[in-house]
Amino acid sequence: MVLHAGSGNKNAFKALIVAEYSGVNVDLAKDFQMGVSNKTPQFLKMNPIGKVPVLETPEGPVFESNAIARYIARLKADNPLCGSSLIEYAHIEQWIDFSATEVDANIGKWLYPRLGFSTYVAVSEEAYVAALKRALGALDTHLASNTYLVGNSVTLADIVMSCNLYLGFTQIMTKSFTSEFPHVERYFWTMVNQPNIKKFMGDVKQAESVPLVQKRNAAPKVKKAKEVKKEDTKPKPVEKAEEEEEAPKPKPKNPLDLLPPSKMILDEWKKLYSNTKTNFREVAIKGFWDMYDPEAYSLWFSNGPVPQIRLWEDACDWYRATIQGQGLKGLWLFRGPEIPQFVMEECYDMALYEWRKVDISDAAQKERVSAMIEDLEPFEGEALLDAKCFK
């Protein structure tokens, strides 16, 4: 059987590794060139949309990498890669689907726009990274008490998962990112050092940095032939200067852009907040006060005692479901010495709240800030019904 794909394709790895475990002979197509070989009429007969990999078998072609991996595994009777019982088989399929829809999809949505393969949108990237972290968190929890995804040995699910993680670990998921998921780290490095996997992946090295955003290459513009018009013999009226098309007015600058630069780098604080798992008060809280720039930022307490309050829909859907009618206490960090006026105008819900600027020279107020960042419980004598940090 022949596998049509490039030698470094992580989806091709799935088929080659499964074949190695199963004792099935699969050869890579010789001299395969992505963008050339997969556009030929012969290839398009096997897969009409030209995607790789495609497995050429005596019974006909098979495309889609997970389908190919399943097919190869089934060629060996009672293959342990497929599990030893019906429930193990179901769990293997479960993790294959999870790997495709939750892990691989979100790695791609994070990585490919940065490489210029699709449009980069910062807000969308934040959502994809959050979704990936959610998936890796669930995977990390499972792996905390399991060496492999299903059972006590490598299965098809592990091969698919490790190949999908390979793209993330080698291209965009740096050590600072994956350190939040220690069991996923242990699992990945265990898998890629299995002899049957290392044979194809080689010595895997983790990405040292997140790729910079690349600009997409714009499609070349086709020049239209100019129509040759007959000269108008009539004299052209002289247009007045004031009737010329008005030049576009420059967009007004955001008031926050006019503020002087700050020594406080919010991304550094976010990383410290997210990555601190122990000694939170001594590390994260102390780090916040060390970074805080009172000349460039201001802290504000909010209190929302009014029942049936609507908050920003994109940040507080959880509020309506769990705290409707309850008092809601908040801590906010704003750029500048006051709450920006355009924020007050655009976010109409703010008028429903009581706002009080934090006086950091007051030890009690400063301690209240620290307690709110820490989600200290009980807070002011009351149990926390829920706590969220939007950063």
Side-chain angles (χ1 to χ4, degrees):
M1 293 186 292
V2 177
L3 185 69
H4 296 265
S7 60
N9 186 303
K10 60 98 174 173
N11 286 327
F13 287 160
K14 298 175 188 178
L16 296 171
I17 293 167
V18 171
E20 190 72 17
Y21 271 98
S22 306
V24 176
N25 184 37
V26 174
D27 296 317
L28 271 175
K30 294 181 179 179
D31 302 322
F32 184 90
Q33 288 182 278
M34 190 63 188
V36 178
S37 303
N38 60 314
K39 302 298 182 183
T40 63
Q42 294 82 356
F43 187 94
L44 294 175
K45 284 182 180 179
M46 296 188 291
N47 185 350
I49 60 175
K51 286 189 174 182
V52 297
V54 172
L55 181 68
E56 192 175 355
T57 82
E59 300 170 294
V62 181
F63 57 83
E64 293 297 335
S65 62
N66 292 343
I68 294 170
R70 290 182 178 102
Y71 172 80
I72 295 172
R74 288 292 182 181
L75 291 175
K76 178 181 179 181
D78 300 321
N79 195 332
L81 292 180
C82 299
S84 59
S85 65
L86 184 59
I87 190 64
E88 281 197 356
Y89 169 76
H91 285 160
I92 289 169
E93 291 296 308
Q94 162 193 289
W95 285 111
I96 289 175
D97 287 351
F98 179 90
S99 178
T101 59
E102 302 294 338
V103 177
D104 189 40
N106 287 309
I107 288 174
K109 290 173 183 177
W110 181 17
L111 174 64
Y112 296 141
R114 284 186 165 268
L115 299 181
F117 297 142
S118 58
T119 303
Y120 175 81
V121 181
V123 175
S124 298
E125 181 183 75
E126 290 181 8
Y128 299 142
V129 172
L132 177 59
K133 284 188 174 184
R134 180 172 176 266
L136 293 179
L139 180 61
D140 197 68
T141 299
H142 177 74
L143 292 172
S145 55
N146 295 278
T147 302
Y148 303 102
L149 291 176
V150 182
N152 297 312
S153 61
V154 173
T155 65
L156 192 57
D158 296 301
I159 295 171
V160 172
M161 181 68 80
S162 58
C163 288
N164 287 340
L165 286 171
Y166 171 86
L167 182 67
F169 268 84
T170 59
Q171 297 296 319
I172 198 166
M173 287 164 36
T174 61
K175 176 64 178 177
S176 62
F177 180 87
T178 60
S179 61
E180 294 185 41
F181 314 102
H183 304 296
V184 173
E185 285 187 321
R186 182 266 306 161
Y187 168 79
F188 177 74
W189 295 115
T190 296
M191 288 301 302
V192 298
N193 281 290
Q194 299 290 316
N196 288 342
I197 296 178
K198 191 170 184 179
K199 178 179 178 179
F200 300 99
M201 291 188 182
D203 293 324
V204 178
K205 294 183 179 180
Q206 189 164 7
E208 296 182 356
S209 61
V210 175
L212 297 175
V213 178
Q214 304 295 318
K215 290 183 179 180
R216 295 188 69 185
N217 292 326
K221 294 182 179 180
V222 179
K223 293 184 178 180
K224 294 182 179 179
K226 292 183 179 179
E227 294 181 3
V228 179
K229 294 183 179 180
K230 294 181 179 180
E231 288 189 13
D232 192 349
T233 56
K234 294 181 181 180
K236 295 180 181 179
V238 179
E239 296 180 357
K240 295 181 180 179
E242 58 265 24
E243 291 179 355
E244 292 179 358
E245 186 177 344
E246 186 179 356
K249 295 180 180 178
K251 293 182 179 180
K253 288 189 176 181
N254 187 308
L256 301 185
D257 293 336
L258 303 176
L259 296 173
S262 171
K263 65 179 182 180
M264 185 177 189
I265 302 174
L266 289 181
D267 280 344
E268 291 185 3
W269 157 243
K270 290 178 185 179
K271 290 177 184 177
L272 184 64
Y273 177 91
S274 299
N275 296 332
T276 303
K277 305 300 181 184
T278 58
N279 300 322
F280 193 85
R281 173 69 68 133
E282 293 78 9
V283 179
I285 301 297
K286 182 180 182 300
F288 174 80
W289 290 119
D290 290 342
M291 296 179 193
Y292 181 60
D293 181 3
E295 300 297 324
Y297 288 87
S298 57
L299 289 161
W300 293 76
F301 294 127
S302 67
N303 191 39
V306 183
Q308 297 183 347
I309 287 175
R310 287 186 72 239
L311 286 181
W312 296 278
E313 291 183 358
D314 61 341
C316 297
D317 287 341
W318 60 273
Y319 167 75
R320 297 184 187 86
T322 60
I323 320 181
Q324 190 69 30
Q326 301 291 324
L328 181 65
K329 298 174 182 178
L331 172 68
W332 302 82
L333 178 68
F334 288 107
R335 185 74 163 92
E338 302 294 333
I339 301 176
Q341 185 60 35
F342 73 90
V343 175
M344 298 292 290
E345 292 171 354
E346 293 181 11
C347 303
Y348 57 88
D349 289 359
M350 295 186 74
L352 302 174
Y353 292 83
E354 298 173 354
W355 296 90
R356 179 163 60 96
K357 188 174 182 179
V358 177
D359 179 3
I360 61 172
S361 64
D362 184 332
Q365 292 189 44
K366 189 172 181 179
E367 171 56 31
R368 190 172 191 261
V369 170
S370 298
M372 295 181 82
I373 296 174
E374 190 180 7
D375 293 339
L376 188 66
E377 190 175 10
F379 180 71
E380 297 180 340
E382 296 180 352
L384 292 179
L385 182 58
D386 202 350
K388 297 288 180 180
C389 175
F390 302 107
K391 58 184 188 299

